[in-house]
Amino acid sequence: MGYLLVTIVNGMVVGAVYALMALGFVVTYKTLRVVNFALGEFIVFGAGLTALAYYRLGLNLLGAVLGAIVGMAVLAAAVNRLVFARIALARPITLIMLTLGLDAFMRGLAGPLFGGVFTIVPLPLPGGTVSIGDLPLALNDIAVGVLALGAAAGVGVLFAWTRFGLAMRALADDPQTARGMGIDARRYFMFAWCLAGAIAVVDGVLWSSIRGPGFGFSIVSLKVFPIVIIGGLDSMAGAVLGGMLVGVLESLAATYLDAWVGGGFSSIASFVMLMLILMVRPQGLFGAPIIERV
């Protein structure tokens, strides 16, 4: 029983960071209807800019994170201004191809910018372990999960209880009416991209602290995509729940199933869950059903 509990808790820690990543995905889709497949490279840049500010510029942790958030906000605003604001009404497949092109461009740029930079920034997390039965559980991993859930809750509060969130939700529900009521769509769309960039910084710092610098951030969007589909593309609560479910499922599959069905099954377990859920609820667990008048 203790081994099972440790496996579940470890899965919840990873799932909490997955949930925050998924929120970065949902923010752009919910407000702009853009499926951002460049999310992985956003996280690469978030972690890389934080490491540059910390190791090369000598800033403390808070200064490095804030500097990286500013840098990612500028980058995201430039992407919106130069690319997406010009073709806001393009077909969805066009926008998807643009995010794939943006992913390739940022991947090529990341090497010269961050080559040779150690991307793990030390966090002031509690050391030591806590025992469940006879098995240790690292306190710093638990702290990372708590920080990720706290950041996710902050994004939820921003959308639910602020003027900014109200405007974003209005634009998502009915863009034409929102513009008619005086909401500056271009400005809030830029804010959505900047928020996605800020989330990417926190994601990068937290993920590298539990997975190390060798993990391929660039494939993380492929891991997050099933999460947002499972939870519902336009649902923030669904993104959090989906992230936790996938994290626990991957941990359980790696512990109990990989040895029986072949190593690596845990990496596709989320896609198996995705197919099962879509057969029952095509819009995801919390997604709004698409209703069209015919």
Side-chain angles (χ1 to χ4, degrees):
M1 179 61 71
Y3 193 66
L4 175 62
L5 288 176
V6 169
T7 301
I8 291 174
V9 172
N10 286 330
M12 291 176 66
V13 169
V14 174
V17 185
Y18 278 165
L20 186 58
M21 293 178 183
L23 282 180
F25 210 109
V26 171
V27 162
T28 53
Y29 182 81
K30 189 176 180 69
T31 54
L32 294 91
R33 291 298 185 259
V34 173
V35 179
N36 182 18
F37 282 105
L39 176 66
E41 294 305 322
F42 268 60
I43 297 173
V44 169
F45 268 65
L49 288 176
T50 305
L52 280 177
Y54 187 84
Y55 291 109
R56 298 286 175 84
L57 300 182
L59 299 180
N60 60 23
L61 176 62
L62 179 60
V65 170
L66 292 178
I69 287 175
V70 171
M72 284 302 299
V74 171
L75 175 63
V79 167
N80 175 68
R81 178 69 175 176
L82 297 176
V83 181
F84 292 98
R86 298 175 182 273
I87 54 169
L89 300 179
R91 292 182 300 173
I93 187 62
T94 302
L95 297 175
I96 289 174
M97 294 306 295
L98 278 171
T99 64
L100 290 173
L102 177 63
D103 176 84
F105 175 76
M106 293 177 69
R107 188 181 308 168
L109 197 59
L113 281 178
F114 309 127
V117 177
F118 191 63
T119 55
I120 297 180
V121 176
L123 301 178
L125 301 176
T129 61
V130 61
S131 295
I132 298 180
D134 295 329
L135 300 174
L137 190 64
L139 287 174
N140 60 337
D141 287 350
I142 296 175
V144 166
V146 171
L147 288 173
L149 287 179
V155 174
V157 169
L158 181 66
F159 266 79
W161 301 102
T162 67
R163 181 182 179 88
F164 168 83
L166 178 62
M168 299 286 276
R169 286 184 284 122
L171 285 169
D173 291 338
D174 192 337
Q176 292 183 345
T177 301
R179 288 186 178 96
M181 296 297 292
I183 296 176
D184 188 342
R186 289 187 177 183
R187 183 175 66 175
Y188 282 100
F189 287 165
M190 181 189 69
F191 286 165
W193 278 106
C194 292
L195 178 60
I199 292 172
V201 172
V202 181
D203 283 332
V205 172
L206 294 179
W207 187 258
S208 61
S209 71
I210 60 174
R211 282 296 184 263
F215 181 78
F217 283 113
S218 58
I219 66 170
V220 76
S221 58
L222 297 180
K223 297 176 70 68
V224 172
F225 190 63
I227 294 172
V228 295
I229 299 297
I230 288 169
L233 267 172
D234 58 352
S235 172
M236 291 192 169
V240 174
L241 178 60
M244 299 298 287
L245 286 176
V246 168
V248 172
L249 176 64
E250 285 186 353
S251 183
L252 291 172
T255 302
Y256 295 104
L257 295 180
D258 277 1
W260 293 93
V261 300
F265 176 76
S266 57
S267 62
I268 64 168
S270 59
F271 293 92
V272 175
M273 176 187 281
L274 171 63
M275 290 188 292
L276 294 175
I277 288 178
L278 289 181
M279 287 191 293
V280 178
R281 191 172 175 82
Q283 70 270 26
L285 296 176
F286 289 91
I290 298 175
I291 301 175
E292 295 182 356
R293 179 173 295 178
V294 297

